[in-house]
Amino acid sequence: MHKIDMDLIEMTMDVMKYTIDRISSTQHKIGKPKKAKELKALVGDTITPKGVGGEYAFKMWKKHLAKANVPIDHPRHLAFVPASPTRAAIMFDLITSASSIHGAYWMEGAGGIFCENEAMEWIVSLTGLPKGAFGVFTSGGTAANLSAIVTAREYWRSLNEQNKVEKGLVITSVGAHSSIKAMAKVADVDILLVDTEDVMYGTALQETINNLTAHQRRRLFAIVATGGTTNAGIIDDLDGIASVCDTENLWFHVDAAYGGGALVADSVRPLFKGVERADSITIDPHKWMFSPYDCGAVIYKEPELAKQAHSQQGSYLDIFKDDGAHGFNPTDYQIQLTRRVRGLPLWFSLATHGTDRYKEAVERGLELAQIAGAIIENMPHVELVRAPSLSCVLYRRIGWKPEDYTHWTYENHKKGFALVTPTKWKTGETFETVSRFCFINPDTTEGDVKAILNSMKPISKYSD
Ligand SMILES: *Cc1c(COP(=O)(O)O)cnc(C)c1O
């Protein structure tokens, strides 16, 4: 065999071995960031006219660069919204890469898109949306929210001539995710916030609408409710908000990027009542459906409206609309053209494990939040800020100032012990710095939670 081919095979084996080790490891370390300058000093120039060679580059990756990452699936990574992709999903993420599938059009990606759609049907079934509702996988919740906002605005503009020249307005709450505000900017839409980080009720929304000026009211086209706030796991009054949207003739979008996974859990499903009345929903499988990054999803009650907003035209694209290519074209329903079949890993994982396992794994995250809440209530040095909601737990270390939380976070991170970051919670008029757990990984144990809370204990003068 030619020398080059031998090298290639050896390299492939090395990469596969590394991947197998990583997938099967339960002890992967919490890495730490380094400054770009420090990393550069460690690895030197890697992009050169002749190349440094795969072996060397891989060595640098293992020795220095991999260690500068925090694995999001570590059982004591409870910051932000962690993730915990299944091994089956990770394996098929490799296959997705190796298969070079263009996931925009059925003509090229029918097999992959078929699998994505099987997984999507299950997700749609969890929402309770009426027949005909369907969705598409996106790069994440941000892209899903943007796709939904643009669809809603396009529909509103199609209603009359006046709307075509007005700048649109969206109402959401203070508790909404930052991407709603950011994507409103991208779509050049104004945003108005109902002043609550707690549950946004239909009544408060109605009051806000009643207080709009006549011009603002004409510009209002959509409401964004949150199905599990990122900070605290709070679910808005979806049913009440749906009724307001009905009466006021507004598009109802539910951002359940984080919380959407909990639709599968019987213990909390009733809290989402009203989600089945949404016009569009965002759910991130890369958050609580155990998919690798990146995998979001946007679902529409009437997918045809999304198609009117997002279908791209171009003479070079006409071929995809020909007879032989008939089928579902994911590009038509969101902002991206060329796309990875990013729902494929989820499909394989669901097919492998069955949906019951997903139910159990999500219920475990919810249970961990309750367990953590009970432990906190029994420890004198910490207390709950509010009852755990979904898998989020906000708690305070009695007597700590904001800098104590920051210091503690860095210490635990530096030791490679845990990553738990502070957040802020508004009590009355003041923002208090508190600590926060978000549970996703079903392998996190009660012992992990206790050990993290114990690391907040005052250090006794007499202990060593
Ligand atoms: C995480 C999150 C988003 C953003 O999703 P990305 O996948 O990070 O783009 C949007 N909304 C909510 C409620 C989220 O929790």
Side-chain angles (χ1 to χ4, degrees), residues 81 140-143 145 177 179 226 228 230 255 257-258 284 286-287:
V81 178
T142 303
N145 284 333
H177 188 262
S179 65
T226 310
T230 319
D255 180 4
Y258 151 63
D284 266 358
H286 69 203
K287 280 184 175 159

Side-chain angles (χ1 to χ4, degrees), residues 154 199 241 269 283 416 424 428 454 460:
E154 203 64 14
V199 178
I241 294 169
R269 182 59 181 83
I283 297 176
K424 289 198 173 69
N454 278 333
S460 160

Side-chain angles (χ1 to χ4, degrees), residues 137-405:
F137 293 99
T138 62
S139 62
T142 303
N145 284 333
L146 177 60
S147 299
I149 289 170
V150 169
T151 300
R153 199 253 313 267
E154 203 64 14
Y155 169 68
W156 169 70
R157 285 203 164 145
S158 75
L159 295 177
N160 63 51
E161 288 308 304
Q162 181 62 27
N163 292 353
K164 290 191 174 61
V165 295
E166 292 282 10
K167 187 175 186 186
L169 174 70
V170 167
I171 297 180
T172 188
S173 83
V174 169
H177 188 262
S178 53
S179 65
I180 299 296
K181 290 152 238 179
M183 292 306 102
K185 213 184 283 179
V186 171
D188 194 27
V189 162
D190 282 330
I191 202 146
L192 203 137
L193 302 178
V194 174
D195 188 21
T196 179
E197 205 188 330
D198 219 305
V199 178
M200 172 164 72
Y201 287 100
T203 43
L205 173 64
Q206 186 65 62
E207 211 181 295
T208 307
I209 295 174
N210 294 347
N211 287 331
L212 295 177
T213 65
H215 188 214
Q216 279 178 319
R217 179 61 194 87
R218 273 207 310 276
R219 293 166 51 215
L220 179 65
F221 67 93
I223 306 299
V224 178
T226 310
T229 60
T230 319
N231 200 28
I234 294 162
I235 300 164
D236 285 336
D237 166 25
L238 303 180
D239 210 33
I241 294 169
S243 297
V244 173
C245 290
D246 274 351
T247 353
E248 298 280 342
N249 218 349
L250 296 165
W251 186 279
F252 177 33
H253 178 66
V254 178
D255 180 4
Y258 151 63
L263 288 168
V264 73
D266 299 332
S267 66
V268 293
R269 182 59 181 83
L271 301 174
F272 290 90
K273 184 173 174 350
V275 69
E276 71 285 353
R277 298 168 69 188
D279 291 293
S280 53
I281 305 172
T282 290
I283 297 176
D284 266 358
H286 69 203
K287 280 184 175 159
W288 216 351
M289 286 183 177
F290 314 103
S291 281
Y293 295 146
D294 40 25
C295 185
V298 57
I299 300 161
Y300 303 95
K301 183 163 76 186
E302 292 180 51
E304 195 53 37
L305 298 178
K307 200 168 175 178
Q308 280 160 26
H310 292 292
S311 179
Q312 296 192 23
Q313 310 298 328
S315 44
Y316 42 85
L317 295 177
D318 285 348
I319 181 80
F320 295 117
K321 290 162 189 159
D322 279 1
D323 256 11
H326 270 328
F328 184 81
N329 297 325
T331 187
D332 286 346
Y333 304 90
Q334 42 78 51
I335 57 169
Q336 210 176 354
L337 181 65
T338 301
R339 64 182 282 283
R340 178 182 181 80
V341 274
R342 48 171 48 86
L344 195 50
L346 175 64
W347 166 78
F348 187 67
S349 183
L350 281 167
T352 301
H353 296 297
T355 57
D356 283 354
R357 286 292 296 282
Y358 273 67
K359 196 185 280 260
E360 286 161 25
V362 171
E363 289 284 10
R364 179 62 185 161
L366 295 162
E367 188 183 34
L368 280 164
Q370 295 302 324
I371 290 171
I375 297 173
I376 289 165
E377 290 203 294
N378 280 317
M379 282 183 164
H381 66 294
V382 285
E383 65 185 6
L384 286 174
V385 171
R386 61 192 310 283
S389 197
L390 291 182
S391 67
C392 290
V393 185
L394 298 185
Y395 62 98
R396 65 173 67 85
R397 161 67 166 81
I398 295 163
W400 272 12
K401 298 190 185 61
E403 55 270 28
D404 296 321
Y405 289 97

